[in-house]
Amino acid sequence: MKESAKKSDRSWRYVGWHLVAMASVCLLLFLGVKYGLNMYTHHGEAIPVPDVKNKPADEAKKALAALELIPVVTDTGYVKKLPPGCVLEQMPAAGSRVKSGHTVRLVLNAKSAPLLKLPDVIDNSSLRTAMSRLSAMGFKMGMPEFIPGEKDWVLGVKADGKPVATGDKISTDATIVVQVGNGMISADDSITYVDPVIEDDDEGVYEYGDVDPFVEVDGPPAEEKKEGQ
């Protein structure tokens, strides 16, 4: 009986040690996952994004990299007053708090103004339609130039004073002037007047301006006055 009791006691101790060991392993796994995940995700860490707008691209990239942020150029724009290659926009904005390793997207200033193709507005649209369409595309519009022709109809387009055609690539920095008809006929347009042709049964055909072919016909002779009257 005593030996049986000892064996039973040893078995319980064995099971108890296994349970303790399993509990310890589970605890260690839990702590490892918790703190390991926090370290991986930089839990509680917040880095303020620096303001790199209007700075040269190289300088902006160095400033971001020093804070363990990743600069990525995603697009270009154009501002004439700013030097080429400087930062126009950044995302996230300056002052935003992010974790290290976060991507900061940059928009840089292009070296020259973008070129756009002139749409088909010449002899194909009214002044109002052409102005609206060109403005929406980003062209810089000047005052329309009125020339002889069909009223309010687009007859031509100039870019910085030079005539351009449909499909030409034009800088968005150029001033666009729409030439539109003023409803009057140009002095250069010649008008040919044709004299009407009139037929006459007796004299044949003659043109307007010739001698009138009609012959004056005397009326019937007047009755002689009676004698003594």
Side-chain angles (χ1 to χ4, degrees):
M1 294 288 295
K2 290 183 179 181
E3 189 163 340
S4 178
K6 288 181 180 179
K7 287 183 179 180
S8 179
D9 186 49
R10 282 198 297 269
S11 297
W12 279 109
R13 275 193 246 175
Y14 180 78
V15 172
W17 281 111
H18 274 73
L19 291 174
V20 172
M22 290 176 63
S24 299
V25 171
C26 289
L27 179 61
L28 290 173
L29 286 173
F30 173 76
L31 294 175
V33 170
K34 179 181 178 181
Y35 290 104
L37 188 61
N38 286 342
M39 291 178 63
Y40 179 76
T41 59
H42 306 282
H43 180 70
E45 179 185 3
I47 301 173
V49 178
D51 186 2
V52 296
K53 286 183 65 175
N54 300 333
K55 291 184 177 181
D58 291 342
E59 182 180 335
K61 290 177 180 179
K62 289 179 181 179
L64 294 170
L67 297 174
E68 298 185 4
L69 300 175
I70 303 174
V72 176
V73 177
T74 58
D75 202 357
T76 58
Y78 181 72
V79 177
K80 187 176 182 179
K81 297 180 180 179
L82 295 177
C86 72
V87 177
L88 297 179
E89 296 292 339
Q90 65 177 82
M91 187 68 186
S96 302
R97 304 186 76 83
V98 299
K99 297 174 182 178
S100 62
H102 192 85
T103 298
V104 178
R105 296 184 294 275
L106 305 176
V107 177
L108 302 184
N109 195 28
K111 294 182 179 179
S112 59
L115 301 178
L116 298 176
K117 285 186 178 182
L118 183 70
D120 187 15
V121 295
I122 301 175
D123 201 23
N124 195 37
S125 61
S126 65
L127 172 62
R128 181 176 179 180
T129 300
M131 294 287 285
S132 176
R133 187 175 178 184
L134 294 172
S135 297
M137 290 180 65
F139 285 111
K140 184 170 64 176
M141 305 303 298
M143 292 297 293
E145 178 185 344
F146 291 90
I147 60 177
E150 185 178 349
K151 187 174 178 61
D152 291 333
W153 193 248
V154 176
L155 303 176
V157 174
K158 291 182 178 179
D160 284 342
K162 298 180 180 179
V164 290
T166 300
D168 287 353
K169 290 184 177 181
I170 305 170
S171 170
T172 53
D173 209 25
T175 300
I176 302 299
V177 173
V178 177
Q179 295 178 298
V180 60
N182 58 11
M184 301 178 65
I185 299 175
S186 171
D188 296 334
D189 293 337
S190 60
I191 301 177
T192 303
Y193 294 94
V194 179
D195 290 335
V197 176
I198 302 175
E199 295 184 1
D200 182 80
D201 292 339
D202 296 330
E203 301 295 331
V205 179
Y206 73 96
E207 293 184 354
Y208 181 80
D210 290 346
V211 178
D212 190 345
F214 291 99
V215 178
E216 182 178 353
V217 179
D218 295 334
E223 295 181 0
E224 295 180 359
K225 293 182 178 181
K226 295 181 181 181
E227 294 180 0
Q229 291 184 350

